[in-house]
Amino acid sequence: MPHPLGNPPSKIIAVHLNFSSRAKERGRTPAHPSYFLKPPSSLSGTQDAIVRPRGCQLLGFEGEIALVIGSLARRVRPEDGWRHVRWVTAANDAGVYDLRYADRGSNLRSKGADGFTPLGPRLLDATELDPAALRLRTWVNGELVQDDTTDTLLFPFGDLVADLSRLVTLEPGDVILTGTPAGASVATPGDVVEVEVDDGRLSTGVLRSPIADADHDLEPWGAQPRTDRAEKESAYGSAYTPGPLLDDSLADGLRSVAVATISAQLRQRGLPHMSVDGVHPATPGTRMVGVAHTLRYLPLREDLFEKYGTGMNAQKRAIEELRPGHVLVMDARRDTSAGTLGDILALRAQQRGAAGVVTDGGLRDSAAVAALGLPVFHGGAHPSVLGRRHVPWDTGVPVTCGGALVQPGDLIVGDDDGVVVVPPDLAAELVAACREQERQERFITERVRAGASVDGLYPLGPAWREQYRTWCAQNDAMNDTEGEPA
């Protein structure tokens, strides 16, 4: 197979974090770029298989833009850095997380295996390109999983060249892998990963990499594959689903009490503004309990919509970031004059295991969404797409939904009365208090049905406390008797 660059470069330098979306996904934004080296022997071309070593499970793909240096660069200034780039092409910075521990920091064995740096299929002339106007897309088995543009880079290409050239001489043919956007994850044998870079006029074509399994065991000398929860989370990124987000017993407890009761108990604790006002269930009789994952819409600006509202935008990323047990909470500024969710994305949320969706904006395809059985609470039905009023902006940030502040990780509970936000550290205490309140209310209801006045009875006053204790004892005894075997 011909070498993708004609002659091997003296070095391949890869950037750890550069796209802002990836930095957000990783939860850290570096002040300066950091790098690692990949050996020239890791290069391969389009259609060449990426072979996962036997025993490894976490083969990560990362669609990237590769720069090929055209002229020697030593101590160049940032404004001159791009002039030293001759070619631009698509790359896949592949690696196995199962071996990261063996060369922590250098990534030699995890990222440097033969064939782990596919490039191509075409080289684009850098002089014909605007380095801040390139688009990078990655597909796995035909499904778009990465879509970002270079105007979101933390460190522009010219800055990377200048930074590296302060201490490392860049020679013609050297390759810089410039970082991957959000959405990088794990591929398995049989998958096909495709990467393309374009500027709307010129394209690298699609770099196609089939994923294969090695036909031999990894030799027993040296480090062997191993993994743990942290490596799985790192490898899968936002797609990792390690287990339930919410303890089953706590979820059952929240599900067993009414939203109105929870609201009352929150108010007693000095939290009267925890209800998501103005939303109602798409399907009456719906109950919902889950953990908040957030999406924020901003008001429409036509000049920004193409950048933020198309492709794998924040709305679609939010859906793909959902884990089982998540409730997607959308901040649409209570503007119900355009849809913020439709049936296809609701179906995808359901397939991702979402516990529900809450939006203080509009719902499209309301009948179809209601038929899915996914708990969805919304501000009102509307036929328009979101682009009439909204720009999907970001995910995983504190939002305001229906007047309530919602942080990622808050607990969300809904029923026919509406939706309430529960601070996680209060949840167990609230369940116990709500059960006691609802028990008192059952006693009060019985007394009112029997003709008693609500004066001193509702809420339960001192004059009724002894009768209430007797009633509780009788009901407990009755329940114990009913539970005994015949």
Side-chain angles (χ1 to χ4, degrees):
M1 195 73 166
H3 196 282
L5 295 180
N7 295 310
S10 69
K11 49 192 167 290
I12 304 168
I13 303 170
V15 182
H16 281 112
L17 279 177
N18 198 10
F19 278 91
S20 58
S21 63
R22 180 68 160 177
K24 181 178 177 181
E25 193 177 58
R26 289 303 201 206
R28 58 188 177 90
T29 300
H32 306 286
S34 62
Y35 312 93
F36 60 93
L37 290 170
K38 299 188 78 169
S41 55
S42 69
L43 286 172
S44 62
T46 190
Q47 302 292 349
D48 292 342
I50 299 174
V51 179
R52 187 181 72 178
R54 189 169 289 179
C56 292
Q57 299 298 318
L58 303 177
L59 174 64
F61 65 86
E62 297 180 6
E64 304 209 8
I65 298 171
L67 311 181
V68 183
I69 297 298
S71 60
L72 188 140
R74 182 187 294 122
R75 298 179 63 192
V76 303
R77 298 175 61 82
E79 57 267 31
D80 297 325
W82 180 247
R83 299 176 191 171
H84 293 268
V85 178
R86 181 66 185 92
W87 306 106
V88 171
T89 193
N92 186 345
D93 181 16
V96 281
Y97 285 76
D98 315 67
L99 290 172
R100 280 214 307 180
Y101 77 95
D103 298 298
R104 182 63 66 183
S106 78
N107 288 334
L108 178 60
R109 279 172 283 196
S110 64
K111 289 268 194 174
D114 292 353
F116 272 24
T117 313
L119 298 181
R122 289 194 290 274
L123 301 174
L124 301 183
D125 187 339
T127 63
E128 298 183 22
L129 302 173
D130 178 353
L134 301 178
R135 183 183 188 186
L136 169 67
R137 287 177 291 173
T138 305
W139 298 262
V140 177
N141 302 327
E143 179 182 353
L144 184 67
V145 294
Q146 292 184 289
D147 189 353
D148 216 328
T149 51
T150 52
D151 57 347
T152 69
L153 292 178
L154 301 174
F155 312 108
F157 295 152
D159 290 13
L160 296 177
V161 173
D163 180 39
L164 287 165
S165 74
R166 293 184 308 150
L167 298 167
V168 177
T169 297
L170 298 176
E171 301 172 300
D174 285 351
V175 175
I176 303 174
L177 305 180
T178 58
T180 196
S185 190
V186 171
T188 57
D191 289 343
V192 176
V193 180
E194 296 173 311
V195 185
E196 182 182 12
V197 177
D198 73 88
D199 70 348
R201 304 174 301 112
L202 304 173
S203 170
T204 62
V206 175
L207 172 66
R208 190 173 189 272
S209 301
I211 309 301
D213 216 349
D215 59 4
H216 61 280
D217 292 337
L218 192 63
E219 287 73 14
W221 47 88
Q224 295 299 302
R226 77 181 192 198
T227 190
D228 55 25
R229 179 190 176 105
E231 290 293 9
K232 288 180 179 177
E233 290 179 347
S234 185
Y236 279 95
S238 61
Y240 183 53
T241 54
L245 292 165
L246 182 60
D247 179 77
D248 287 344
S249 61
L250 184 56
D252 289 343
L254 290 168
R255 201 172 283 112
S256 71
V257 295
V259 163
T261 309
I262 297 173
S263 181
Q265 288 296 324
L266 286 167
R267 183 171 55 81
Q268 289 183 24
R269 287 160 177 78
L271 296 170
H273 306 297
M274 306 299 282
S275 61
V276 178
D277 294 341
V279 301
H280 59 274
T283 307
T286 294
R287 291 198 62 86
M288 175 183 69
V289 175
V291 177
H293 180 57
T294 59
L295 166 64
R296 182 169 64 136
Y297 292 100
L298 292 183
L300 176 65
R301 253 186 60 176
E302 288 82 356
D303 61 320
L304 294 177
F305 190 81
E306 183 175 355
K307 176 180 176 180
Y308 291 99
T310 60
M312 198 66 180
N313 59 30
Q315 180 199 40
K316 293 176 183 175
R317 290 200 306 273
I319 296 291
E320 294 300 328
E321 289 165 1
L322 292 173
R323 287 172 46 189
H326 265 145
V327 172
L328 180 57
V329 181
M330 298 180 176
D331 173 3
R333 312 172 315 285
R334 301 189 184 183
D335 187 342
T336 61
S337 61
T340 55
L341 181 76
D343 58 343
I344 292 176
L345 291 185
L347 174 61
R348 181 59 178 163
Q350 185 179 52
Q351 291 178 331
R352 295 285 299 164
V357 178
V358 181
T359 176
D360 61 1
L363 175 67
R364 295 182 70 232
D365 312 311
S366 56
V369 171
L372 288 175
L374 174 72
V376 174
F377 290 75
H378 62 97
H382 200 282
S384 174
V385 295
L386 65 89
R388 181 170 184 261
R389 293 291 187 188
H390 307 294
V391 181
W393 200 258
D394 51 8
T395 69
V397 296
V399 299
T400 302
C401 185
L405 171 61
V406 181
Q407 297 189 99
D410 281 341
L411 305 184
I412 308 296
V413 186
D415 64 14
D416 280 341
D417 279 347
V419 175
V420 70
V421 184
V422 175
D425 56 347
L426 288 181
E429 171 190 332
L430 281 172
V431 168
C434 287
R435 284 174 169 169
E436 172 58 21
Q437 177 181 328
E438 291 188 348
R439 192 179 202 194
Q440 290 182 18
E441 289 175 354
R442 288 195 296 274
F443 168 77
I444 292 167
T445 299
E446 286 188 12
R447 300 286 81 80
V448 171
R449 282 203 180 106
S453 167
V454 294
D455 184 20
L457 173 61
Y458 181 58
L460 192 67
W464 288 93
R465 287 286 174 181
E466 186 59 36
Q467 289 190 49
Y468 173 63
R469 282 192 286 270
T470 301
W471 179 86
C472 287
Q474 291 172 344
N475 277 273
D476 290 344
M478 186 179 302
N479 290 334
D480 288 343
T481 301
E482 290 176 352
E484 291 177 358

